[in-house]
Amino acid sequence: MRNLRNIRYNVWNSDANPNSDAITSACWDPAKDELLCTIGPDVVNGRIQLMRVVDHVRASSIDIECQEVASWNAPSPNPDLAVDRVVSLHHFADTLTTCLVLEGGDIVIVRESETSTSSDDVHIEIMGSIDEGITGASWSPDEELLAITTKAHTAIFMSRTFDLITDMAMTAEDLNASKHVSVGWGKKETQFQGKGAKALRDPTIPEKVDQGVISPSDNGRTTISWRGDGAYVAINAIEDSIRRVIRVYSRDGVLDSVSEPVDHMESALSWRPAGNLLASIQRLEDRVDVIFFERNGLRHGQFTLRPPEGTTLIKGEIQLSWNSDSTVLSVSFDDRIQLWTMGNYHWYLKQEIFTGNKPTGFAWHPEKPLRFGASVAERLVQAEYIFEVAHGSLTPPYDYGAVAVVDGQTLKVTPFRTANIPPPMAMYELLVSSPVVDVAFSPANTFMAVLHQTGVDLYEWTTHQHRSTPPRLLGATKFAQTHSGDRLLPLQISVSETSSVHCLCAGEGPLIHAQRFDPSTGEVHPASTMYAGSMFGFTRLTQATSEDVVTQDALGRFHAVAEQTDELYSVSHNSQLPWSELVDLAGDVIAIGLSRNGHLYANTRLLVKNCTSFLVTPAHLIITTTNHLLKFIHLTDVEAMEVPPDDPEADERCRSIERGARLVTAMPTNMSLVLQMPRGNLETIFPRAMVVAGIRKLIEALDYERAFAFCRTQRVDMNILFDHKPDQFLANVGLFLEQIGDVANIDLFLSSLRDEDVTQTMYRDTKARQGPNGGDEPGQQTGTGAGASKVNLICDAVLSHLQSRKTKDHGTLQNIITSFICKSPPAFEDGLRVVYALMKEDEQLAEKAVEHICFLADVNTLYDAALGLYHLDLALLVAQQSQRDPREYLPFIQDLHRLPKLRMKFTIDDHLNRHEKALAHLKDAQAHQEAQDYTVKHSLYPAALKMYRYDATNLAIIRALYATFLESRSKYREAGLIYESLQDYPAATRCYRAAGVSCWRECLFTAYQQKPPLSPEAMTELATTLAEAVYEAKDYAAAATIHLDHLDSLEAAIPCLCKGYHFADAMRLCVQRQRPDLLPTLLDTGLADALGSSTEFLADCKAQLLAQVPRIVELRHKAAEDPLGFYEGERTGGADIPDDVSVAASSRVTAGGASLFTRYTGKNSVGTLGTGVSRATSKNRRREEKKRARGRKGTVYEEEYLVNSVRRLAERVETTRPDIERLVAGLVRRDMLDRARAIETLAAEVVDACQKAIKEVFPGKGVEARKQGEGQEGEEEWRPVGADAVLAETLEAAWRTQEAPIVTAFEKMSLLG
């Protein structure tokens, strides 16, 4: 589908007399991108001139300068050779050396100076000579071997230093090297012939066997061609006037194969660089074919050349040459050069370049595949082409998918929106008077201009009912000839919506001819001409209404030439970009351009470096990459353009495509894209980004019908119809239902709904929104309300509209039922009520409705819901739609018919396990005893309490049953409360006592309330038991209260208060009860015990801090110094640590069998695929959690364990602070000042140690200040570098995230000094 479009055409004319000084050969200097050519020798002058042709690119023109490199006399060394001839010309860019191989046998090198361009500094040397003479020569692609054929029928291989490698004689015995067996590639005998006798023939035996007859027009020359990798070389020569044969030699000079005999094969030979085919010429009586051979010498297809109009190819020399990437085959005739390409096994004639005279040399550029130089007598032609698809507008509604393919004088045109026809076929084939050069479409696809060698044809293209009609010829014009021999060479064409045609031509200089066609009459207005300067081609405009004509010059600038005036655009590229397009975004013009090396630019900003093709639609810039991905870039401001990542699974803007696929055209109206594979076949796809963008536009245009159709055909979640514009949808539910129309489609939409907002998940709009207030943006479901279900909201809106209709047909009722069933949760009862209402009006309609509702939901669930409505006839109708045996449900329904109404409802609700409703029916039926039994059976106590709230008699019974139930479930406190409210104090006391220490007050209260009262012994025993229980629970104040108030034992209360550090209360009670004798006995003893336990606790805390804090510092220093050694431990065998250690994840396995990050995960084996990781089982996870909890010394979890231990210690110290303060006050009051001073000092030390430990273990925000302070003291701080610094920063960040415990300073009593 791609055409060859010219982007450069320069001609250098020799100043000398063309009859005496002709250009005889040419080659490329790829380093300087310049051509070298030779002039002479000829019969008149035996001198050879080596010339270098240099281009000077300027803003106003491209000037060509010719510099003479060297010249020398080259007389013929052979008397039989009248004049010498340059057989091979090759330039070595690395050594600035040019090698000439002459027919007379001389091999000459010309070495240029690196510092001087003067011809005086050039070194010319004859490296050797072959006396027999040379018939052909060619350098290998790697420039290491020179293959030479001599007039003595020998082949010679030389090295770059011209040392002989091998010398082979080409004899008739070589013809026996290959025994050919033809399998009939592309032959008629291998095709299906029907049931006739020909079908029984052996297809391997052709009807006619060629003998290798030499062509009468054979020039007798020998041709050499190398394969692209330089491993083989082919030599085409005549063998003893028997036949022409192609010999294939290996790089070592070993004969590999010879070609099969082919009649009238000529000297042309070119080996495709890809290596699969060798091309040659076969001149038959009625045609000339380009024939192909495999490396083994067997034929492999052919195609017929097309002679120029009015001429034949019976005579004249024909030469072949493949370009460097094997995409174009050039065929040189006596007066023109043809460029052929192949796609889908069809050969296209893409360009025919008129030269006037016979090309004496043709050379493809070795690095730029579509650039060549051709020497034609006194002229040297340089031309460059690009592959470009000639497609029409991509702007809706003009995106017909129009694509034009050039094939000689035939133009193949296909509108892909009308018909997807694969090449080489086409929907329309237009015959042109001469070979087509270029084709262009107007921005709105109204006109199509065809440029051919002799003029321009303008076609009008219209559509009928959204289908394209055949293009209609409006008019044609011929190029005028100013005088005899002058020929205008057309290069490119452009057509605007005003039917104005601009043509870029090469004549005396680059010119732009402008002509205006009158569409009504077909008349052509006189042409105007302007100088093109360095403009090399027209640039496509994406705006369909544009009337501009834009060109690009060699400096990347854009010029408007519509009015034959040169006006520069404000945007430009940094350099010439062969593929370019201008986009107008509301007045903001963006130039999209692609360079030869795959760099894609938006103005001067580089977007990607691996682009292979691109298209521009009104919404997207679509590209393909060398990673075989299709990407969509939203068209916004240049700086805001975002290229999606290479993640086709996560981003809808990226999609995988077939290897080597290229973009052909896009049709946003159809949301489709056409790609061409490397073989030439086409593939039409519907990319998700394009489809979703199109659906969004249709929704915004209220075209729900097409949006729904695309959602259905492209498998797009239909929730987007609501989620994209929720408020708009709710306001236009009637329009939506009217457009969708079909009942099944509405049901499909309703059944696809779910509460997920797809515009925030799978179809998130990746285009950046402009401005903070975007209106009704997707995802902002303002109409749903907070916490409301989206599904229910849509179903309610649909129901509201459907139920408001005056007449309800079957389809409307079906949609109503679907809306009820699709709610979340499904409203089965509402749907069944609709069916029940239909049963009274139309039984047949009701049966259809039941069938539909049973299709939507489980029939068993519907049967239960119908029973729950207490409509037995409806339940029977639903049951009949199920697969149940009638014996299962008929007797049950019959029994229900015989029951009273309340009893029937109770039976149904009990059957459906709706126990609360069943209990309500029993209450309504005054069956209180049965209701109490039913409550106990199904534990319906809360519901029963609510029902009997105002029935005191039955309420007391239910509460008693509930208390018994709670007591059986060990909920003693609740049971005690109920017993107490029922004045059942013995049971309440029992429950409170069983509830534990939290209910000791309630227990003693109900014990005193019992009638008859408890005995003193029982009361004492109860109080003693409760006191012991609260003492064990460490509620010492409560225990003291029980001993004092209920047991009247001050001696037992004082130790309890001292145990709880309530020394002030103990002293007060001793004086209040007039028992000061207890102060030196019980109180002082309690003080001494508290002092001892506190001293022991503080000493343990101090020792723990002294042991753990230095260990934490040591571990952190080790981890920062040597992370590999810290996390992996000692290496076995004392192996040295490699110098490529990194803390980044790698698949390297350590000497111990575990990697850096699997040593402490229980995985000692290396998994597959080089990951070294396996899924941890639950057993391994539990084992690892135990290791982490233990924090054993030497493991990676030791630091974490120690840090948590310090945290717990600090929290305990802060918790015990009030107890120590009360202890110090008690000691002071009892005149134990030394003891008070000692415990206070110890407590202050521990608190100070905790504060220091917190600063050390939990650095927090103070770590920087501490480091600065240390640095000011003059100590050199160790700082990790490299990979160690990464780990150190990670650990430091982990420390800072931990919240440090708070320990306030301990304030000493001033009394103690």
Side-chain angles (χ1 to χ4, degrees):
M1 304 300 290
R2 297 185 298 172
N3 302 322
L4 284 176
R5 196 176 199 195
N6 184 278
I7 60 169
R8 181 168 184 170
Y9 188 87
N10 296 324
V11 177
W12 172 71
N13 293 304
S14 174
D15 294 332
N17 185 355
N19 295 325
S20 58
D21 295 313
I23 301 174
T24 53
S25 63
C27 72
W28 285 96
D29 179 359
K32 297 182 179 180
D33 201 17
E34 298 171 355
L35 265 176
L36 289 98
C37 64
T38 58
I39 299 177
D42 55 21
V43 178
V44 178
N45 185 4
R47 190 173 184 83
I48 297 178
Q49 290 179 286
L50 180 63
M51 314 292 290
R52 180 181 289 274
V53 180
V54 183
D55 292 346
H56 297 287
V57 178
R58 298 181 177 88
S60 59
S61 64
I62 299 179
D63 300 329
I64 299 178
E65 178 188 359
C66 186
Q67 303 172 354
E68 180 178 312
V69 178
S71 63
W72 66 94
N73 292 322
S76 173
N78 192 338
D80 298 332
L81 185 63
V83 61
D84 214 344
R85 178 174 65 91
V86 178
V87 176
S88 171
L89 176 67
H90 186 84
H91 181 78
F92 298 95
D94 54 347
T95 59
L96 297 179
T97 302
T98 305
C99 177
L100 293 86
V101 180
L102 305 180
E103 184 180 1
D106 291 340
I107 302 175
V108 182
I109 65 167
V110 179
R111 184 174 291 108
E112 302 176 55
S113 173
E114 296 182 3
T115 57
S116 174
T117 58
S118 173
S119 59
D120 298 335
D121 298 328
V122 175
H123 174 72
I124 304 174
E125 181 180 357
I126 299 178
M127 301 304 297
S129 182
I130 298 176
D131 297 337
E132 295 85 354
I134 297 175
T135 58
S138 177
W139 284 92
S140 64
D142 60 359
E143 300 181 337
E144 294 296 331
L145 287 181
L146 173 63
I148 298 176
T149 57
T150 68
K151 295 181 179 180
H153 299 288
T154 60
I156 301 173
F157 285 4
M158 289 185 178
S159 67
R160 185 164 175 174
T161 57
F162 302 99
D163 296 326
L164 180 64
I165 295 178
T166 183
D167 185 356
M168 302 84 65
M170 296 187 293
T171 64
E173 296 179 357
D174 295 343
L175 304 183
N176 300 324
S178 298
K179 296 181 179 180
H180 303 112
V181 178
S182 174
V183 295
W185 281 108
K187 297 290 186 180
K188 183 186 298 184
E189 56 268 17
T190 62
Q191 309 303 315
F192 179 70
Q193 301 290 335
K195 297 182 179 180
K198 288 186 177 181
L200 302 177
R201 293 182 66 256
D202 186 353
T204 62
I205 301 177
E207 295 179 0
K208 177 180 178 298
V209 178
D210 287 354
Q211 301 299 322
V213 178
I214 299 176
S215 173
S217 57
D218 196 314
N219 56 15
R221 290 187 176 179
T222 301
T223 310
I224 303 175
S225 181
W226 286 85
R227 200 171 76 171
D229 59 357
Y232 293 92
V233 63
I235 300 175
N236 185 354
I238 296 178
E239 181 57 40
D240 293 338
S241 301
I242 300 175
R243 70 178 178 95
R244 182 170 283 278
V245 62
I246 299 175
R247 293 176 173 84
V248 177
Y249 291 94
S250 69
R251 192 178 180 89
D252 299 328
V254 179
L255 182 64
D256 183 74
S257 64
V258 296
S259 63
E260 63 175 280
V262 177
D263 291 344
H264 305 296
M265 184 175 73
E266 297 190 357
S267 62
L269 177 66
S270 181
W271 199 330
R272 194 170 186 234
N276 58 337
L277 295 175
L278 292 94
S280 186
I281 292 294
Q282 182 184 23
R283 199 186 304 259
L284 302 176
E285 294 179 357
D286 56 343
R287 69 182 192 273
V288 176
D289 291 346
V290 175
I291 58 177
F292 298 107
F293 294 88
E294 300 176 17
R295 198 194 79 192
N296 56 15
L298 291 177
R299 285 280 298 274
H300 191 106
Q302 68 278 325
F303 71 91
T304 301
L305 292 175
R306 303 172 195 174
E309 186 177 0
T311 62
T312 61
L313 299 178
I314 297 176
K315 296 182 180 180
E317 183 180 357
I318 302 176
Q319 295 297 327
L320 303 176
S321 179
W322 287 98
N323 70 330
S324 61
D325 65 352
S326 306
T327 56
V328 180
L329 176 65
S330 69
V331 183
S332 301
F333 298 98
D334 286 343
D335 61 345
R336 68 195 63 219
I337 299 172
Q338 291 183 348
L339 302 180
W340 293 77
T341 65
M342 192 266 287
N344 242 15
Y345 305 105
H346 175 79
W347 284 90
Y348 296 87
L349 175 56
K350 292 298 183 182
Q351 287 288 338
E352 186 170 293
I353 305 163
F354 183 79
T355 58
N357 295 321
K358 177 182 177 180
T360 57
F362 185 90
W364 287 103
H365 197 289
E367 295 178 358
K368 297 180 179 179
L370 298 178
R371 187 173 184 182
F372 65 84
S375 56
V376 184
E378 73 284 357
R379 294 184 300 146
L380 185 65
V381 177
Q382 299 182 49
E384 184 174 4
Y385 291 81
I386 59 172
F387 277 116
E388 187 173 39
V389 177
H391 62 77
S393 174
L394 306 185
T395 303
Y398 313 109
D399 52 337
Y400 309 127
V403 176
V405 180
V406 175
D407 188 10
Q409 294 181 230
T410 303
L411 186 67
K412 301 175 182 287
V413 183
T414 301
F416 281 96
R417 211 170 93 185
T418 302
N420 196 345
I421 299 177
M425 298 181 291
M427 190 169 181
Y428 308 115
E429 292 192 0
L430 307 178
L431 188 62
V432 187
S433 59
S434 62
V436 178
V437 176
D438 193 20
V439 59
F441 295 87
S442 65
N445 263 18
T446 307
F447 303 105
M448 179 179 68
V450 180
L451 176 67
H452 51 91
Q453 289 187 348
T454 58
V456 177
D457 294 346
L458 184 66
Y459 291 85
E460 183 182 23
W461 203 348
T462 59
T463 59
H464 177 67
Q465 295 181 351
H466 302 290
R467 290 183 174 272
S468 298
T469 58
R472 182 175 66 90
L473 181 63
L474 288 180
T477 180
K478 300 291 184 181
F479 294 126
Q481 301 292 332
T482 56
H483 59 274
S484 178
D486 187 13
R487 186 179 181 90
L488 195 66
L489 186 66
L491 301 177
Q492 284 192 28
I493 195 169
S494 175
V495 59
S496 66
E497 282 300 314
T498 59
S499 67
S500 176
V501 177
H502 289 69
C503 178
L504 178 65
C505 303
E508 298 178 355
L511 303 173
I512 295 180
H513 292 268
Q515 292 177 316
R516 186 178 180 86
F517 284 78
D518 189 345
S520 58
T521 62
E523 297 180 356
V524 182
H525 295 280
S528 60
T529 305
M530 66 173 289
Y531 179 67
S534 64
M535 304 176 194
F536 67 87
F538 297 101
T539 298
R540 184 182 289 114
L541 301 172
T542 59
Q543 191 175 7
T545 59
S546 176
E547 298 181 359
D548 293 341
V549 178
V550 181
T551 62
Q552 185 187 173
D553 61 22
L555 301 180
R557 301 179 304 172
F558 294 95
H559 305 257
V561 296
E563 303 297 333
Q564 292 298 91
T565 56
D566 189 356
E567 297 180 6
L568 278 176
Y569 267 70
S570 59
V571 296
S572 65
H573 297 305
N574 290 330
S575 60
Q576 175 190 5
L577 298 182
W579 298 270
S580 62
E581 195 161 340
L582 289 182
V583 185
D584 190 350
L585 296 178
D588 184 13
V589 179
I590 301 175
I592 307 296
L594 177 65
S595 66
R596 298 179 183 85
N597 58 357
H599 289 194
L600 183 68
Y601 292 87
N603 292 346
T604 57
R605 181 195 169 193
L606 176 62
L607 295 179
V608 293
K609 294 184 177 181
N610 59 344
C611 179
T612 56
S613 62
F614 75 92
L615 291 174
V616 181
T617 67
H620 297 102
L621 168 60
I622 310 172
I623 66 173
T624 56
T625 68
T626 55
N627 295 335
H628 322 300
L629 295 174
L630 176 69
K631 292 187 176 184
F632 290 79
I633 303 173
H634 293 292
L635 284 179
T636 57
D637 295 337
V638 173
E639 299 302 326
M641 284 188 180
E642 179 186 2
V643 181
D646 295 351
D647 192 0
E649 295 181 359
D651 197 328
E652 69 174 15
R653 297 172 296 169
C654 183
R655 169 178 174 153
S656 298
I657 56 175
E658 186 176 332
R659 180 184 296 269
R662 298 289 188 275
L663 291 166
V664 175
T665 187
M667 292 161 282
T669 301
N670 282 8
M671 307 177 194
S672 60
L673 200 65
V674 180
L675 298 167
Q676 186 170 29
M677 305 303 115
R679 186 174 64 87
N681 56 310
L682 300 181
E683 181 178 335
T684 301
I685 63 173
F686 295 81
R688 183 65 52 176
M690 206 169 182
V691 170
V692 174
I695 291 174
R696 291 192 188 107
K697 288 187 177 180
L698 292 174
I699 293 172
E700 293 167 0
L702 295 177
D703 192 353
Y704 286 106
E705 181 180 3
R706 292 190 63 204
F708 177 86
F710 277 111
C711 287
R712 187 174 183 182
T713 55
Q714 300 303 324
R715 302 179 66 85
V716 176
D717 196 313
M718 294 187 184
N719 284 271
I720 195 175
L721 297 175
F722 173 84
D723 292 337
H724 181 61
K725 291 285 185 180
D727 289 342
Q728 172 185 296
F729 182 91
L730 294 176
N732 295 277
V733 171
L735 177 64
F736 173 80
L737 296 175
E738 181 182 349
Q739 290 184 357
I740 300 300
D742 187 65
V743 176
N745 288 340
I746 296 175
D747 284 350
L748 177 61
F749 168 73
L750 292 172
S751 61
S752 302
L753 294 176
R754 62 181 189 276
D755 284 327
E756 176 189 355
D757 184 359
V758 296
T759 61
Q760 300 300 317
T761 54
M762 63 174 68
Y763 303 133
R764 187 177 184 87
D765 193 356
T766 51
K767 185 175 181 179
R769 304 192 179 279
Q770 303 297 327
N773 298 322
D776 186 13
E777 295 182 356
Q780 296 181 352
Q781 299 182 4
T782 56
T784 60
S789 171
K790 179 188 82 175
V791 177
N792 293 346
L793 185 68
I794 298 174
C795 290
D796 289 338
V798 173
L799 283 170
S800 176
H801 184 81
L802 294 176
Q803 290 174 344
S804 64
R805 293 180 179 177
K806 295 181 180 179
T807 58
K808 298 182 179 65
D809 55 4
H810 173 257
T812 302
L813 293 172
Q814 178 175 320
N815 293 147
I816 290 175
I817 293 173
T818 305
S819 300
F820 282 123
I821 301 303
C822 290
K823 283 190 174 184
S824 178
F828 295 124
E829 295 183 355
D830 294 332
L832 289 171
R833 287 191 183 96
V834 176
V835 178
Y836 183 72
L838 286 175
M839 291 175 64
K840 299 177 181 179
E841 301 174 1
D842 189 344
E843 292 184 359
Q844 293 183 352
L845 199 58
E847 289 182 1
K848 292 183 179 179
V850 168
E851 290 178 3
H852 179 67
I853 198 172
C854 291
F855 169 75
L856 293 175
D858 179 51
V859 68
N860 296 320
T861 305
L862 290 172
Y863 173 71
D864 293 341
L867 279 177
L869 293 175
Y870 313 118
H871 297 316
L872 301 182
D873 294 339
L874 178 60
L876 180 62
L877 188 60
V878 173
Q880 290 173 352
Q881 298 295 326
S882 68
Q883 302 296 323
R884 287 187 176 185
D885 190 342
R887 290 174 295 182
E888 296 181 12
Y889 57 83
L890 277 179
F892 177 68
I893 295 178
Q894 291 172 356
D895 292 340
L896 291 176
H897 274 293
R898 290 191 289 267
L899 294 174
K901 186 175 182 180
L902 286 176
R903 182 58 63 174
M904 178 196 70
K905 291 183 177 181
F906 166 75
T907 306
I908 290 175
D909 289 329
D910 183 61
H911 173 74
L912 298 177
N913 294 326
R914 300 194 298 191
H915 301 301
E916 292 188 8
K917 285 189 175 183
L919 181 62
H921 296 318
L922 288 176
K923 177 182 177 296
D924 294 340
Q926 302 298 319
H928 300 302
Q929 181 60 44
E930 188 177 355
Q932 295 166 10
D933 296 339
Y934 196 77
T935 300
V936 174
K937 179 180 179 181
H938 297 289
S939 302
L940 302 175
Y941 302 103
L945 290 172
K946 186 176 181 180
M947 292 177 188
Y948 287 97
R949 181 180 302 171
Y950 304 108
D951 188 348
T953 303
N954 291 305
L955 180 62
I957 297 173
I958 296 298
R959 294 175 72 182
L961 293 174
Y962 191 26
T964 304
F965 171 76
L966 291 174
E967 188 176 3
S968 66
R969 295 299 179 91
S970 299
K971 296 182 179 180
Y972 298 110
R973 187 175 183 278
E974 292 84 349
L977 291 172
I978 296 176
Y979 281 131
E980 186 177 353
S981 65
L982 295 174
Q983 297 184 359
D984 187 357
Y985 296 113
T989 303
R990 181 179 71 250
C991 290
Y992 285 138
R993 185 173 183 179
V997 297
S998 61
C999 295
W1000 64 271
R1001 297 176 180 85
E1002 293 86 347
C1003 182
L1004 290 173
F1005 171 78
T1006 54
Y1008 282 113
Q1009 292 291 103
Q1010 292 184 23
K1011 300 295 182 181
L1014 291 176
S1015 63
E1017 294 80 8
M1019 198 67 188
T1020 301
E1021 186 271 335
L1022 176 61
T1024 303
T1025 303
L1026 292 174
E1028 292 175 355
V1030 296
Y1031 187 86
E1032 292 295 332
K1034 297 185 179 181
D1035 190 355
Y1036 303 113
T1041 302
I1042 295 174
H1043 281 294
L1044 190 64
D1045 295 342
H1046 299 281
L1047 297 178
D1048 196 21
S1049 176
L1050 183 61
E1051 291 81 358
I1054 296 301
C1056 292
L1057 292 173
C1058 292
K1059 187 69 174 177
Y1061 287 80
H1062 301 293
F1063 304 108
D1065 290 336
M1067 294 180 186
R1068 179 180 59 81
L1069 289 174
C1070 289
V1071 176
Q1072 182 185 7
R1073 297 298 178 93
Q1074 298 180 0
R1075 292 292 306 275
D1077 57 305
L1078 297 179
L1079 292 175
T1081 56
L1082 295 180
L1083 183 63
D1084 291 351
T1085 303
L1087 283 170
D1089 293 340
L1091 177 63
S1093 60
S1094 298
T1095 303
E1096 183 180 359
F1097 166 72
L1098 293 174
D1100 291 342
C1101 291
K1102 187 175 181 180
Q1104 182 178 342
L1105 290 174
L1106 292 176
Q1108 292 181 343
V1109 173
R1111 178 61 178 170
I1112 293 174
V1113 175
E1114 179 185 359
L1115 291 173
R1116 287 179 175 174
H1117 191 68
K1118 285 184 177 180
E1121 267 189 338
D1122 185 11
L1124 188 64
F1126 178 77
Y1127 285 106
E1128 290 202 359
E1130 296 293 333
R1131 289 180 172 270
T1132 58
D1136 295 334
I1137 297 178
D1139 58 358
D1140 60 346
V1141 173
S1142 173
V1143 295
S1146 67
S1147 59
R1148 185 182 60 80
V1149 179
T1150 63
S1155 71
L1156 177 60
F1157 296 102
T1158 59
R1159 174 177 172 84
Y1160 296 102
T1161 57
K1163 294 185 272 293
N1164 294 323
S1165 61
V1166 180
T1168 59
L1169 300 177
T1171 61
V1173 178
S1174 63
R1175 294 185 177 274
T1177 62
S1178 58
K1179 182 179 179 181
N1180 289 336
R1181 286 196 296 269
R1182 288 195 300 270
R1183 183 188 302 122
E1184 204 63 27
E1185 288 296 334
K1186 291 179 181 178
K1187 290 182 181 179
R1188 183 179 181 183
R1190 286 195 298 266
R1192 185 170 57 86
K1193 185 175 182 179
T1195 64
V1196 74
Y1197 303 118
E1198 181 186 1
E1199 180 191 351
E1200 181 185 11
Y1201 176 82
L1202 294 177
V1203 170
N1204 291 332
S1205 178
V1206 172
R1207 178 193 297 276
R1208 290 191 297 270
L1209 184 144
E1211 292 172 351
R1212 287 182 60 194
V1213 169
E1214 184 67 19
T1215 304
T1216 57
R1217 174 196 302 275
D1219 295 341
I1220 295 175
E1221 290 176 350
R1222 289 196 295 269
L1223 174 61
V1224 172
L1227 293 173
V1228 171
R1229 292 178 66 183
R1230 293 300 298 161
D1231 200 22
M1232 301 179 185
L1233 299 181
D1234 292 338
R1235 295 183 182 183
R1237 190 178 293 108
I1239 189 64
E1240 188 181 53
T1241 302
L1242 182 58
E1245 292 176 357
V1246 171
V1247 169
D1248 184 59
C1250 287
Q1251 291 178 339
K1252 292 181 179 179
I1254 289 171
K1255 292 181 181 180
E1256 191 72 25
V1257 176
F1258 306 95
K1261 298 180 180 179
V1263 66
E1264 290 86 356
R1266 177 163 48 83
K1267 288 183 177 180
Q1268 292 175 1
E1270 293 174 358
Q1272 292 173 358
E1273 293 175 2
E1275 297 180 2
E1276 184 178 355
E1277 182 187 2
W1278 174 84
R1279 291 181 178 275
V1281 295
D1284 295 341
V1286 177
L1287 181 59
E1289 293 170 1
T1290 303
L1291 294 175
E1292 187 174 347
W1295 303 337
R1296 294 179 181 178
T1297 57
Q1298 299 182 24
E1299 185 178 356
I1302 299 175
V1303 177
T1304 57
F1306 189 83
E1307 296 183 2
K1308 296 183 179 181
M1309 295 181 67
S1310 59
L1311 176 64
L1312 299 177

